[in-house]
């Protein structure tokens, strides 16, 4: 996370100028897109293959991808390596999200999403700190060796850890009448096309979820490039991103509970507009101080933004009819479609004038207002 955009850009010498920036963003875009594609299959895979097999398959794909990044520092090998890494990560992460949907109580499920998102960001923190120190001490390529060894370790450790998850899954399916009954219900449920075309679902995906997740690339794409252009080492990048993610981790439970209680479903507008304010602050200042304050605001937004979105999405009538486990797969897929656009968006904004940022932020704000006008009647104001 601290140097990957820079590493890809450095090995994208086959093109020049603006085309080179676009080429450098494509491997990262494909990585996120592959992660999203896996979400469409995970609900069925969890039921048929089980978490242990998913853990083995996912770790094997990711390990092979990082091995390519280690052995062949060439653009097309990096492209393929990040594709395999996205498939592997997507299998594991999306399967865990599917399991969370089997929590029946809405408040407990929202808390589960909040805790899982915080755990994810904690892992990002640890990885960035360790990776940046290794990159400064030994160079960037040896970091991929550590990634390969970590995935190999996860194949063994993960098999031990997921036994409890499979036990919980079996209990939940039994309580719902067994796997066969559940699959029979799903056959009678609305098709995926009908589900996505539902007004509440489609407007949420296009106007709230995708604009919100694009801002992830401000943190994980623009920040490393900004720091590299000004001569800062990877440790500085890791400290900046850790500031963002630690704020999200430490305030996640508190803000998710209290902001949801205060604003209800409208909390997702608060999170999105906070992102707009953060990037606007950076665009107007263009300084390191502005970047730090922007990351702090983005961190507070990330603390509650995704859990309230997930709860809102799974509470839609179309999601209940379609099945929460399959609905979260669609949620993760469409989210990663939006996130995969992030590097492209911010590759265009990198070095752009303030007017470029203003246009982008105006479009996002307009999406927020349009969704409110279309769906305000069906929202819960307080819990």
């Amino acid at each position: 996370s601290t140097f990957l955009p820079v590493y890809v850009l450095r090995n994208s010498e086959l093109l020049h100028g603006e085309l080179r920036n676009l080429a450098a963003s494509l491997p990262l875009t494909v990585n996120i897109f592959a992660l999203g594609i896996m979400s469409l299959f995970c609900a069925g895979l969890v039921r048929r293959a089980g978490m242990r097999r998913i853990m083995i398959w996912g770790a094997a794909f990711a390990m092979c991808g990082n091995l390519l990044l280690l052995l062949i520092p060439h653009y097309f090998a990096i492209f393929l390596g990040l594709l395999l890494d996205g498939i592997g990560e997507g299998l594991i992460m999306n399967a865990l999200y599917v399991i969370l949907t089997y929590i029946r109580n809405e408040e407990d499920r929202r808390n589960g999403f909040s805790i899982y998102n915080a755990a994810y960001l904690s892992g990002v923190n640890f990885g960035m700190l360790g990776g940046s120190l290794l990159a400064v001490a030994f160079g960037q390529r040896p970091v991929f060796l550590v990634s390969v060894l970590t995935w190999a370790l996860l194949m063994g450790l993960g098999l031990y850890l997921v036994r409890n998850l499979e036990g919980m899954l079996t209990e939940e399916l039994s309580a719902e009448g067994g796997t066969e009954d559940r699959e029979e219900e799903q056959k009678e449920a609305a098709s995926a096309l009908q589900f996505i075309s539902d007004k509440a679902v489609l407007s949420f995906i296009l106007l709230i979820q995708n604009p919100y997740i694009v801002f992830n690339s401000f943190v994980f794409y623009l920040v490393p490039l900004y720091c590299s252009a000004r001569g800062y080492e990877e440790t500085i990048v890791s400290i900046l991103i850790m500031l963002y993610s630690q704020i999200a981790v430490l305030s996640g439970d508190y803000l998710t509970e209290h902001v949801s209680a205060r604003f209800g479903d409208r909390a997702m507008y608060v999170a999105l507009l906070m992102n707009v304010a953060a990037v606007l602050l950076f665009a107007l200042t263009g300084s390191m101080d502005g970047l730090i304050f922007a990351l702090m605001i983005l961190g507070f937004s990330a603390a509650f933004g995704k859990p309230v979105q997930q709860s809102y999405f799974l509470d839609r009538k179309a999601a209940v009819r379609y099945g929460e486990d399959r609905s979260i797969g669609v949620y993760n897929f469409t989210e990663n479609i939006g996130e995969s656009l992030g590097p492209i968006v911010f590759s265009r904004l990198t070095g752009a004038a303030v007017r470029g940022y203003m246009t982008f932020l105006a479009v996002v704000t307009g999406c927020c207002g349009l969704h409110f006008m279309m769906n305000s009647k069906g929202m819960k104001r307080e819990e």
Side-chain angles (χ1 to χ4, degrees):
S1 295
T2 57
F3 68 78
L4 191 56
V6 179
Y7 184 81
V8 176
L9 182 63
R10 189 177 299 146
N11 289 281
S12 302
E13 297 177 351
L14 66 165
L15 294 172
H16 302 280
E18 288 297 320
L19 287 177
R20 187 183 177 205
N21 289 331
L22 178 62
S25 69
L26 287 179
L28 301 170
T29 296
V30 168
N31 175 265
I32 300 168
F33 184 78
L35 197 151
I37 286 288
M38 291 301 101
S39 63
L40 296 179
F41 310 105
C42 272
L45 284 175
V46 168
R47 295 177 177 278
R48 294 179 179 86
M51 271 301 299
R52 278 181 284 186
R53 289 182 182 175
I54 290 176
M55 183 67 72
I56 292 174
W57 297 340
F61 272 108
M63 185 171 63
C64 291
N66 281 271
L67 194 60
L68 273 175
L69 292 167
L70 170 67
L71 298 178
I72 312 175
H74 184 271
Y75 179 79
F76 293 107
I78 292 172
F79 191 99
L80 178 58
L82 288 176
L83 172 62
L84 294 174
D85 179 81
I87 293 172
E89 283 193 52
L91 283 171
I92 295 173
M93 291 176 61
N94 288 303
L96 291 171
Y97 272 121
V98 167
I99 287 178
L100 286 172
T101 66
Y102 297 131
I103 301 173
R104 295 293 96 194
N105 181 277
E106 182 180 346
E107 182 178 354
D108 289 341
R109 184 170 59 195
R110 187 182 63 241
N111 289 337
F113 283 130
S114 176
I115 292 168
Y116 179 57
N117 292 330
Y120 167 78
L121 288 171
S122 296
V124 169
N125 283 343
F126 184 82
M128 285 189 306
L129 181 60
S132 63
L133 292 174
L134 287 169
V136 170
F138 303 106
Q140 294 177 351
R141 279 185 67 188
V143 177
F144 297 115
L145 173 60
V146 179
S147 291
V148 171
L149 297 175
T150 302
W151 281 112
L153 177 63
L154 188 62
M155 289 181 71
L157 182 61
L159 291 176
Y160 172 76
L161 293 175
V162 300
R163 288 175 184 172
N164 291 333
L165 292 179
E166 288 199 322
M168 186 190 80
L169 174 61
T170 302
E171 291 176 6
E172 289 292 342
L173 291 174
S174 298
E176 293 178 5
T179 304
E180 292 182 1
D181 292 342
R182 177 71 172 182
E183 289 179 350
E184 188 63 29
E185 290 175 9
Q186 290 183 348
K187 290 178 182 178
E188 298 173 359
S191 68
L193 182 60
Q194 289 174 322
F195 170 62
I196 294 176
S197 61
D198 180 83
K199 172 196 163 187
V201 172
L202 184 60
S203 62
F204 169 80
I205 291 170
L206 295 179
L207 302 176
I208 298 295
Q209 183 192 33
N210 280 349
Y212 179 83
I213 203 62
V214 163
F215 286 89
N216 266 18
S217 290
F218 178 88
V219 179
F220 295 104
Y221 183 82
L222 186 141
V223 170
L225 292 178
Y226 176 89
C227 292
S228 176
R230 283 154 183 78
Y232 294 109
E233 292 184 332
E234 290 86 352
T235 47
I236 301 299
V237 181
S238 70
I239 291 171
L240 290 173
I241 302 181
M242 280 184 67
L243 172 67
Y244 155 81
S245 52
Q246 276 301 108
I247 288 174
V249 169
L250 296 176
S251 61
D253 286 346
Y254 178 85
L255 286 181
T256 299
E257 179 181 353
H258 287 80
V259 175
S260 295
R262 175 66 179 84
F263 294 100
D265 289 334
R266 298 182 183 186
M268 60 187 180
Y269 300 138
V270 177
L272 183 55
L273 293 176
M274 286 175 67
N275 286 359
V276 170
V279 175
L280 178 62
L281 175 63
F282 171 76
L284 293 176
T285 62
S287 66
M288 180 59 77
D289 290 340
L291 179 64
I292 291 171
F293 281 110
L295 289 171
M296 292 174 66
I297 298 171
L298 289 168
F300 284 118
S301 170
F304 67 91
K306 194 169 178 178
V308 298
Q309 283 187 21
Q310 289 165 330
S311 294
Y312 172 83
F313 184 78
L314 293 178
D315 196 41
R316 300 307 91 197
K317 292 180 180 179
V320 175
R321 290 196 303 267
Y322 188 60
E324 287 93 336
D325 56 350
R326 294 197 297 171
S327 296
I328 198 65
V330 173
Y331 175 94
N332 289 332
F333 171 71
T334 54
E335 180 183 74
N336 282 282
I337 294 298
E339 191 172 8
S340 68
L341 296 175
I344 296 176
V345 171
F346 281 99
S347 71
R348 301 296 297 173
L349 292 178
T350 300
V354 175
R355 173 182 278 183
Y357 282 93
M358 292 295 189
T359 301
F360 166 65
L361 297 176
V363 170
V364 173
T365 304
C367 290
C368 185
L370 181 58
H371 185 274
F372 175 75
M373 289 189 293
M374 293 175 62
N375 298 276
S376 59
K377 292 183 179 180
M379 289 189 172
K380 295 181 289 185
R381 299 193 179 188
E382 288 187 19
E383 294 195 347

